């Protein structure tokens, strides 16, 4: 009889606890759950508004406070008054920063190249393939005892515009005279593992094309870029344009236009 009575009391207490738990879920517990849901919504709304403000600020400062293309180049129309009035066909001389073109021109972001290794090799002003002492020092190498580096000269395959030929690897001596305009360099550590690769390009004098009288004599260099117009070259590469026209005193061929589908017919019409 005592056991039955104790069991009944225990079941009654369990029912009371269950009822209180159910009441908490319907009452205070429900309010707490609702508060959590409201806080999450406010948090998401705050994140959205913050992201929207950042994007808006980025575009506003880019549009109104960014550098203007027309201020990057000092353009003077030197050729406007040099036209021959007797010539019937007069091509237009357009301003590179005319109002009609500015909405379609954008400033390209600078290309940043992140190299894991320092530049260990270079071609000096005399056309000699040699070691870059500053690069060796920055990379932690001994300047007087550089790593073992081999180079391969690259030439175009005969009767082909798409294939090249690599010469046999040659150990760098410190000043190697090249016969081709392009060379591939690869260096190895003491274990024979490749630690450095690079390509170099330089213009080598080809005696078979024309024999020069001395080292001072130079021929005329013709620079042609058929991938962009002259006006866009002035907009996007202002420093190069000013260097060619002012420092090198280059002559700009104003009436030279694209006539072919690739580089050769455009540069040699």
């Amino acid at each position: 009889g005592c056991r039955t009575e104790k069991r009944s009391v225990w079941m009654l207490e369990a029912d009371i606890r269950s009822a209180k738990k159910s009441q908490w879920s319907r009452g205070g517990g429900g309010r707490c759950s609702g508060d959590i849901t409201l806080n999450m919504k406010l948090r998401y709304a705050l994140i959205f508004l913050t992201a929207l403000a950042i994007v808006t600020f980025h575009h506003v400062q880019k549009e109104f406070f960014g550098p203007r293309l027309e201020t990057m180049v000092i353009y003077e129309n030197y050729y406007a008054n040099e036209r021959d009035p007797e010539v019937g066909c007069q091509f237009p001389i357009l301003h590179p920063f005319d109002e009609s073109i500015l909405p379609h021109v954008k400033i390209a972001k600078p290309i940043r190249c992140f190299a894991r290794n320092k530049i260990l090799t270079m071609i000096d002003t005399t056309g000699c393939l040699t070691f870059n002492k500053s690069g060796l020092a920055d990379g932690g190498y001994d300047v007087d005892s550089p790593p073992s580096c081999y180079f391969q000269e690259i030439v175009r395959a005969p009767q082909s515009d798409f294939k090249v030929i690599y010469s046999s690897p040659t150990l760098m001596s410190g000043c190697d005279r090249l016969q081709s305009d392009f060379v591939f360099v690869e260096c190895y550590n003491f274990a024979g593992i490749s630690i450095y690769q690079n390509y170099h390009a330089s213009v080598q004098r080809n005696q078979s094309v024309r024999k020069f009288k001395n080292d001072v004599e130079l021929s005329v260099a013709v620079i042609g870029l058929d991938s962009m117009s002259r006006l866009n070259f002035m907009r996007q590469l202002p420093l190069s344009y000013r260097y060619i026209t002012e420092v090198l005193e280059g002559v700009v061929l104003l009436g030279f236009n694209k006539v072919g589908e690739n580089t050769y017919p455009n540069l040699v019409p």
Side-chain angles (χ1 to χ4, degrees), residues 151-210:
F151 69 92
Q152 294 176 268
E153 297 194 52
I154 306 172
V155 296
R156 178 176 294 179
Q159 306 299 324
S160 176
D161 291 336
F162 305 99
K163 296 181 180 180
V164 295
I165 299 175
Y166 285 73
S167 65
S168 300
T170 303
L171 181 64
M172 285 184 57
S173 62
C175 183
D176 297 280
R177 295 292 176 181
L178 302 176
Q179 302 299 322
S180 63
D181 295 339
F182 304 95
V183 62
F184 170 71
V185 182
E186 187 170 14
C187 301
Y188 302 87
N189 60 9
F190 65 94
I193 300 175
S194 177
I195 58 174
Y196 172 81
Q197 292 181 345
N198 201 357
Y199 288 88
H200 296 289
S202 63
V203 179
Q204 302 295 329
R205 290 185 174 182
N206 191 343
Q207 297 293 341
S208 63
V209 176
R210 183 182 187 277

Side-chain angles (χ1 to χ4, degrees), residues 81 88 101 108 119 137 157 159 174 177 212 232 254 265 268:
N81 299 324
I101 194 62
I119 305 300
Q159 306 299 324
R177 295 292 176 181
F212 296 89
N232 201 35
L254 297 178
V268 188

Side-chain angles (χ1 to χ4, degrees), residues 95-105 235:
H95 197 287
F97 301 106
D98 189 81
E99 294 181 355
S100 61
I101 194 62
L102 285 181
H104 308 285
V105 179
R235 300 186 197 104

